[in-house]
Amino acid sequence: MNPHHHALFIGGRWVAPASDGRITVLGASTEAVLGSVPDGSEKDMDAAVAAARAAFDDPDGWAAWEPARRADALYCLAEALERRVEDITRVVSAQNGMTIGLAQQVEGALPAILLRYYADLIRNDPGEAVREGMLGAPVHVRREPLGVVAAIVPWNAPQLLSATKYAPGLAAGCTFVLKPSPETVLDSVLFAEAVEEAGLPPGVVNVVPAGREVGAYLVSHPHIDKVAFTGSTAAGRQIAATCGTLLRPVTLELGGKSAAVILDDVDLGTAIGEPFVQATLLANGQACFASTRILAPRSRYDEVVDAVSSLVGDLTVGDPLDPTTQIGPMASARQRERVEGYIEKGRAEGARLVVGGSRPDAEKGYYVTPTVFADVDNAQTIAREEIFGPVLSVIPYTDEDDAVRIANDSEYGLGGTVWTNDDERGMRVARRMHTGTVGLNHYTVDPAAPFGGVKSSGLGREFGPEALLNYQQVKSIYT
């Protein structure tokens, strides 16, 4: 693919941008230029929103199509994406440091899976039900598409997190303006090419890479009907404030500081393995749901610290495009500086550094060695704030009630895990955790199950049938 692009995908066509600004992407492992795209402006966003608005308002257009026809179109988009899987996974991995094996699963496979899942959900759905009214006459209850959606996605899993929005939204009949993060814009070109190949009507999906200020302009645009955002809690609060003022529907998938509760009955030799790495350090620790607070029973605290430290210390750090690599670089120099700042705070506040805490011997790349702190108090900064990097904090607890208390003592509530030999006991603890999702002896997001958080981790749910409701409004017709 050509690494340098000079047009934006708006209204079903590749059009010249309104300004000459550029977004240049550096490789996370090489720090070399990977490519560039136009830096979208407010005028570009106006054009994209106008195209999406026209596509939605067309009386014979996307929103008016029979569900089965939209479902067929989503299958076509899934196939077009699958023809680009190799390019998509390699460019995502090069941009943000995600290991190639993970990129193949998350960025390559899941978007098509989600498209087909929502296509199948709507294919035979009439979108309307008749209820017996309490006053003697039937009531028709319709679910209709909300309208034009502003989808704003981050850099850590750009293709999957785009799909969590457009797959249910397109199925519902909405149209989209997608704004990818400046750190991962090259894959968005491949996505736009797939949309073009799939033959979706002009304006149904528009892609405009841009920075934060233009993103804020999109959120407040008068012709946007709904905002779907994944990113930091701080940015989410600003978006929520704007949407609250405008009375505009919004879904927010935000930060996390999840707990891995290791119960005292666990077989550490079995539990602390690859599933544990996936639950705590997925995407080099750049995953919002990662269980980075490791809660260990005091009766086995030293055992847990040794097991976790041994596992983390043996992980292979290297080139994310090498299939043997387990931990790649941070996505950017700024992100590496953020993670290193938290490591220094951990040291300064008295936590004991057991493994990592430095840069590996690499001439280039935004690497941080995976890090484990022991003797961490849940009040310390590294246990309170989202680091978004490969840093684990092992926190002691006295009994099951204390473990649940510590797990719930957080501003966030997105993910979490329980590790035990007793599934019934694990389910009991999981039910007491104040969080949107919990994994038992592993953590895997399932497309059929709702995903999202409580407290400062966001509003609304993605995945599952529930996500369709994010893009629909309900109308009652009294007869």
Side-chain angles (χ1 to χ4, degrees):
M1 59 177 276
N2 183 350
H4 299 286
H5 305 273
H6 300 281
L8 299 171
F9 188 69
I10 296 174
R13 299 183 300 116
W14 294 95
V15 301
S19 69
D20 58 2
R22 305 287 296 173
I23 296 173
T24 299
V25 182
L26 302 182
S29 62
T30 65
E31 302 181 46
V33 172
L34 295 176
S36 63
V37 300
D39 188 359
S41 66
E42 292 183 2
K43 287 185 178 180
D44 296 314
M45 283 300 180
D46 287 339
V49 173
R53 181 87 267 158
F56 183 79
D57 291 342
D58 181 350
D60 299 316
W62 182 256
W65 282 15
E66 289 296 320
R69 187 181 178 191
R70 285 204 301 271
D72 288 343
L74 296 188
Y75 262 73
C76 288
L77 179 54
E79 292 164 3
L81 284 171
E82 286 176 334
R83 283 189 280 274
R84 292 164 172 79
V85 162
E86 184 176 352
D87 287 341
I88 287 173
T89 55
R90 289 188 67 83
V91 77
V92 169
S93 182
Q95 287 175 117
N96 69 5
M98 179 184 288
T99 59
I100 190 66
L102 181 61
Q104 289 165 349
Q105 299 171 40
V106 171
E107 300 290 272
L110 279 175
I113 288 172
L114 283 172
L115 283 164
R116 293 191 176 102
Y117 173 78
Y118 287 106
D120 291 343
L121 276 185
I122 65 164
R123 187 175 295 279
N124 298 310
D125 182 2
E128 183 171 317
V130 180
R131 299 180 187 175
E132 288 299 321
M134 297 296 291
L135 301 179
V139 178
H140 291 249
V141 180
R142 291 177 51 80
R143 285 175 284 111
E144 299 179 344
L146 266 174
V148 178
V149 179
I152 301 175
V153 297
W155 45 259
N156 60 322
Q159 287 299 302
L160 171 61
L161 295 174
S162 296
T164 61
K165 295 155 184 59
Y166 68 69
L170 291 175
C174 295
T175 60
F176 276 76
V177 177
L178 174 68
K179 191 203 83 66
S181 170
E183 285 84 0
T184 47
V185 291
L186 302 180
D187 56 291
S188 73
V189 175
L190 294 167
F191 169 69
E193 290 175 353
V195 171
E196 183 180 32
E197 180 188 313
L200 269 64
V204 169
V205 175
N206 308 272
V207 182
V208 182
R212 180 175 298 180
E213 291 183 1
V214 175
Y217 177 79
L218 175 63
V219 168
S220 63
H221 199 286
H223 295 143
I224 289 293
D225 298 306
K226 187 252 181 348
V227 176
F229 172 77
T230 298
S232 71
T233 294
R237 291 186 193 280
Q238 294 175 350
I239 290 171
T242 298
C243 291
T245 299
L246 297 170
L247 297 180
R248 177 167 294 168
V250 61
T251 50
L252 303 169
E253 200 270 280
L254 307 178
K257 193 68 182 179
S258 304
V261 179
I262 300 178
L263 297 179
D264 56 11
D265 64 1
V266 75
D267 179 347
L268 291 175
T270 301
I272 309 301
E274 181 59 26
F276 190 83
V277 174
Q278 294 300 308
T280 58
L281 293 171
L282 189 74
N284 315 325
Q286 298 172 138
C288 51
F289 52 69
S291 294
T292 55
R293 290 185 297 146
I294 315 301
L295 276 53
R298 291 187 183 276
S299 60
R300 302 184 65 187
Y301 186 77
D302 290 341
E303 286 181 75
V304 172
V305 170
D306 289 345
V308 172
S309 300
S310 177
L311 177 71
V312 172
D314 287 341
L315 295 174
T316 301
V317 180
D319 180 358
L321 295 174
D322 183 339
T324 65
T325 293
Q326 295 170 288
I327 298 290
M330 301 295 92
S332 64
R334 181 176 62 181
Q335 187 61 21
R336 178 176 62 182
E337 290 170 6
R338 172 186 169 88
V339 173
E340 289 176 333
Y342 276 107
I343 291 172
E344 290 309 309
K345 286 182 182 178
R347 287 190 174 111
E349 293 181 7
R352 175 165 58 93
L353 181 64
V354 183
V355 167
S358 61
R359 298 182 184 182
D361 294 330
E363 293 183 3
K364 295 288 185 179
Y366 309 123
Y367 290 95
V368 176
T369 53
T371 300
V372 177
F373 280 102
D375 303 335
V376 178
D377 187 282
N378 198 52
Q380 291 175 341
T381 302
I382 58 172
R384 305 303 296 181
E385 298 182 11
E386 184 178 39
I387 298 174
F388 224 60
V391 181
L392 305 182
S393 300
V394 188
I395 302 169
Y397 69 86
T398 55
D399 56 24
E400 190 174 298
D401 287 341
D402 192 37
V404 172
R405 178 191 65 78
I406 295 172
N408 291 340
D409 180 17
S410 174
E411 173 187 356
Y412 300 101
L414 182 58
T417 49
V418 182
W419 305 82
T420 177
N421 284 0
D422 184 340
D423 285 353
E424 184 176 341
R425 185 185 181 196
M427 288 294 292
R428 184 172 68 242
V429 172
R431 291 186 178 107
R432 296 177 64 192
M433 294 170 70
H434 191 198
T435 184
T437 61
V438 185
L440 189 59
N441 292 320
H442 77 112
Y443 187 94
T444 303
V445 174
D446 192 308
F451 173 82
V454 299
K455 300 186 283 187
S456 292
S457 289
L459 299 170
R461 293 293 182 268
E462 295 180 324
F463 295 112
E466 291 80 3
L468 273 174
L469 300 176
N470 294 336
Y471 301 94
Q472 295 173 323
Q473 55 191 352
V474 180
K475 176 191 291 183
S476 295
I477 302 174
Y478 310 118
T479 61

